[in-house]
Amino acid sequence: MSLLVGPMQQHLNGHKDLTDHNEIIEVSPSKQVLIPLVCYGSNELELLVKENDKIKVGTKIALRNDKMIIPIFSSVSGTVVKVVKNMHDMLRPVDHLVVENDFQYEVEMPFNPLDPEKASPEELIDFMMNAGIVGLGGAGFPAYIKYKFAKDIHTVLINGVECEPYITADYRNMTDNIDKLIVGSKAMMKMANAKEVLIAIKETKQDLIAQLESALKDHSEIKVVKVPDVYPMGWERTVIYQVFKKRYDRLPGEIGVVVNNSSTAIAFANALLNGAPITQKMVTVSGDGIVKPSNILVRVGTPVSEVVAALGGYNAEEVNLIAGGPMMGKTMPNDTFVITVSTNAITVLRPQKFPDVACLRCGRCSDTCPAGLQPVRINEFEKARDVDSLVKLSALDCIECGMCTYVCPSRLEVTEGVRRAKRLIMAKKK
Amino acid sequence: MKFISKPAPNYRDKRSTQDIMMDVTLALVVVALFAIVFNFMQYGSAYGIRVILVILVAVGSSVLTEVVWFLLNKKPVLSSLAVSFPWVTGLILALMCQVNVSLYALSMGSIFAILFGKLIFGGFGHNIFNPAGVGRAVVLTGFASAVVVDFATGATPTSTMNAYGWLINDAALGETFLSGFGGLSNLFIGSYAGALGETSTLTLILVGIYLSWRKAIDWRIPVAYIGTLLLLATVVGLSNQAVVWYPLFHILTGGAVFGAIFMLTDPVTSPTSMTGRIIFAVGAAIITMVIRLKANLPEGVLFSILIMNMLTPIIEGLTDGQQIKRQTKNMRSILVVLLAGVLLTFGLGNMLVAKDPNAKVEPEEPPISLKQLALSDASLDEFVGEIVSKSADGDFTTYNVKVAGYGELYATDDYYTYTDNELAIVVDTVNKKLISITYVTFGDTPKIGDKTKDEEYLATFKDMDLSDLQQDVDLLSGATYTSMSIASAVKIVMMDLGN
């Protein structure tokens, strides 16, 4: 907050108490899982198995091998059936590999464990690549690339902020896996050749902070930083500005920082210690539209309809079914989509209806935009289809965090207007 | 099971536009209550009731205008009203008027405010000008004299200050001035005659803090506006050795604080960016100061707001862009505007002359020379005049001159013509000097030429001699024809005298 730039953030009602201390429920898939054959936006994958192959939990089934290397592993043991098109949480149909579940959950180690104390940074980076560790904060960006190109890094920032409302999966993952969090963080520090690790946690998570601080007594290079309970504190730029009071142009590396999600660090540690890729996820299923809001442990590829059924089903006739949190998650047209490697939440809300009120140009959206943009102006010029002005307004810098729609007192779809503006600019560029 | 698809996000803040407008309404009601209580206690129940009436008329006319509009446009009346907030406009307008405002004028102002200030632009959210400001301008300009005389509660501080030329540099005069309104603290509390909602700075500051805390308004606007006004008034005060409290006077009286809190902050008509809002407020303060110091209006707040409303799109364009990267540029823009304001008011302040409103005003130099007029302006010849009679009495000769006027038309047998002016002009034939002019018949349109009947005016012709044909003759504005008629008569007499 300064004189000329707004707060760029806002406290949201998190509804985290719906799930943060509930028992973790293990949801097992029924006879089939559908493993999405898509990695970080690309479906140009090399399929490594064929129909009727017998596979195990951990079998490498596909590989993205172009600009980046991302392997995909099976989450169940059983038989490969076929490749089908199915709705993905990116809101478009993509190829999924159907695997017939034999309910044996036989495990195969696709790679050997590695002792991070002994391994060199290069070995760790290669390991991370081959283990298919992707960013679990939501984007699914392969984590090894950040370290491969790391230069003059002083700090690894572990992002345990989890600023989306309703979601408590990272929080539960951390409280249950503090040892792995530390192992993963230290390995990342080594890979980045950094001097320290900072773990950013919301100051409201007192119990987790206390638990972490006592566990970190023997690890002087790792510290907890408390950050305010505001949205979007989990966004890289926001949390870095909060912690370091610095802004960067394109990547955090410019100011000597690498950021990874806390669940990524835990998944990395799990791979290092047990030779296990990401086949299971801690997912928060919450909202006022589901009977039993809970954190669940669920295998990748499990259809969401089965997850919802395991939690007592929907409790309303009409719902918004959201893949992710209510701010950034996409609203899905049905519940046939599956849990993916980067799914961290399913939110089910009862739809709200509001009367039509005109934009009163209050500028709240501009004041709270974490990217310093002016959604109200972008919407005005989008209506006028004035691409030059949209470029001047840096509309492409929008990360679609949803804050502008959230704060809009006239309840307009401000973020959607900015999305349209971005599409306009992209169309003009082509 | 039905899955409702809509674009993300699916989460909404509880704060709605309706909430914000309720907060503004609440704040306005508090200010209105102050006005009602103050008038009841200070002037009696007739005044208190009158205040209530003023508020009811403004709010009633505003709401009714929208009801009719929605009926004509076949829209659901109640739900449309609920998201159009006409009562806010009505309340603001009422609170900007004095207790003696004509209810007729006020209701016309309200209708105008809603209809031409808001609805024809497309309704709430689409208007360019602050609707209440438009209404107030209509009442002020269109119905300037429409006040109820027996409700006069006395001169307001700003109108009095206007009479002083917006400068008091004599401590004793200042003392008299202040004591007329119960001192500075009284101006702060608001117990003096003025527009209903504008007097109590204390009340306004309290509701302003409430609205800022509720984020119904951006505190930057009132702070930047009042701050700039204080700065500019200090510049003017210092460069003129004005009384110490001079800058405070600019804040405590008139519509400054009311306008800052309720009108400049109107989101619809102000810029959306923080920098834009600050420039908007600073600009309004500069214009307020310029109008107060130099224009013929008692107050500058209202028109400064309307002018800045007009500039809003330009200011928006000036601050568009990535706001983090623009910070330095934005700060520079604000400083440039502020500096321009300081220089401008410093210049204007140097031209200020303190006036004593009780001193008699000296007539100014007449602007046009008679000779020039006679030679150059052929139109003077249209005022055909003739000497009707001439009677000498010693050195003095009295000419009776008939000259065409511009009064009522009357018909002769074969054509229409104007009533003539007949003037008796006495001249000293020895010194060839003009002694006096009086009307025998005043043939011009009543009111328009009336000023020329004024003895003081006629006296300006006294002591004219032949050479003084070059001397200036005042052509009274608004009575040009009559002035020229007189000038023509004088010319004829002088010519005759010269022969």
Side-chain angles (χ1 to χ4, degrees), chain A residues 366-380:
Chain A
S366 303
D367 297 352
T368 45
C369 176
L373 306 181
Q374 298 166 288
V376 53
R377 298 287 287 161
I378 293 174
N379 271 265
E380 281 173 10

Side-chain angles (χ1 to χ4, degrees), chain B residues 380-393:
Chain B
L380 200 59
D381 296 335
E382 285 176 22
F383 294 85
V384 192
E386 51 168 333
I387 296 168
V388 184
S389 64
K390 205 160 123 180
S391 62
D393 177 11

Side-chain angles (χ1 to χ4, degrees), chain A residues 361 377 380, chain B residues 127-130 264 266-273 275-288 290-291 302-320 337 340 344:
Chain A
R361 297 169 37 81
R377 298 287 287 161
E380 281 173 10
Chain B
N127 44 303
I128 294 169
F129 294 104
N130 186 308
L264 283 169
D266 169 23
V268 179
T269 54
S270 59
T272 57
S273 69
T275 309
R277 287 181 214 137
I278 294 173
I279 293 177
F280 178 77
V282 169
I286 295 169
I287 297 174
T288 302
V290 170
I291 295 179
L302 171 68
F303 286 100
S304 75
I305 293 170
L306 293 176
I307 292 169
M308 290 313 290
N309 287 162
M310 225 159 29
L311 296 179
T312 291
I314 296 171
I315 299 173
E316 288 268 56
L318 195 70
T319 61
D320 272 350
V337 175
L344 184 65

Side-chain angles (χ1 to χ4, degrees), chain B residues 458-470:
Chain B
L458 291 175
T460 56
F461 292 92
K462 213 181 153 186
D463 289 342
M464 263 190 178
D465 60 24
L466 206 51
S467 63
D468 282 343
L469 264 183
Q470 294 173 16

Side-chain angles (χ1 to χ4, degrees), chain B residues 133-280:
Chain B
V134 170
R136 181 71 185 107
V138 167
V139 177
L140 195 70
T141 55
F143 300 86
S145 53
V147 292
V148 180
V149 185
D150 51 347
F151 271 98
T153 43
T156 66
T158 36
S159 65
T160 313
M161 190 49 127
N162 199 34
Y164 276 84
W166 281 97
L167 178 62
I168 295 179
N169 46 19
D170 179 328
L173 209 59
E175 211 46 53
T176 328
F177 179 89
L178 264 194
S179 61
F181 301 104
L184 275 184
S185 58
N186 200 44
L187 285 179
F188 181 65
I189 295 163
S191 164
Y192 61 90
L196 298 177
E198 295 178 352
T199 56
S200 178
T201 307
L202 176 65
T203 314
L204 289 170
I205 288 177
L206 291 178
V207 301
I209 290 172
Y210 169 78
L211 290 175
S212 305
W213 170 67
R214 294 280 293 161
K215 295 201 169 66
I217 63 173
D218 185 354
W219 58 269
R220 287 171 183 78
I221 293 181
V223 168
Y225 180 73
I226 299 296
T228 309
L229 210 51
L230 263 179
L231 174 73
L232 300 181
T234 308
V235 169
V236 174
L238 285 179
S239 63
N240 287 289
Q241 291 91 43
V243 282
V244 183
W245 48 265
Y246 181 77
L248 277 181
F249 177 86
H250 276 272
I251 309 305
L252 295 181
T253 66
V257 179
F258 182 86
I261 288 170
F262 287 112
M263 297 178 72
L264 283 169
T265 53
D266 169 23
V268 179
T269 54
S270 59
T272 57
S273 69
M274 287 185 166
T275 309
R277 287 181 214 137
I278 294 173
I279 293 177
F280 178 77

Side-chain angles (χ1 to χ4, degrees), chain A residues 3 13 326 331 364 405 410, chain B residues 6 10-12 17 215 220:
Chain A
L3 186 65
N13 184 354
T331 323
R364 247 156 240 254
T405 296
S410 290
Chain B
K6 69 174 281 297
N10 289 275
Y11 208 45
R12 294 287 192 178
T17 300
K215 295 201 169 66
R220 287 171 183 78

Side-chain angles (χ1 to χ4, degrees), chain B residues 68-77 80:
Chain B
V68 172
W69 177 270
F70 291 135
L71 284 177
L72 288 177
N73 285 284
K74 300 198 170 51
K75 282 186 184 157
V77 174
S80 300

Side-chain angles (χ1 to χ4, degrees), chain A residues 408-425:
Chain A
C408 178
S410 290
R411 272 79 190 255
L412 303 170
E413 297 292 347
V414 191
T415 313
E416 185 61 11
V418 180
R419 283 192 198 105
R420 281 197 303 270
K422 289 167 76 173
R423 285 198 289 268
L424 258 180
I425 299 177

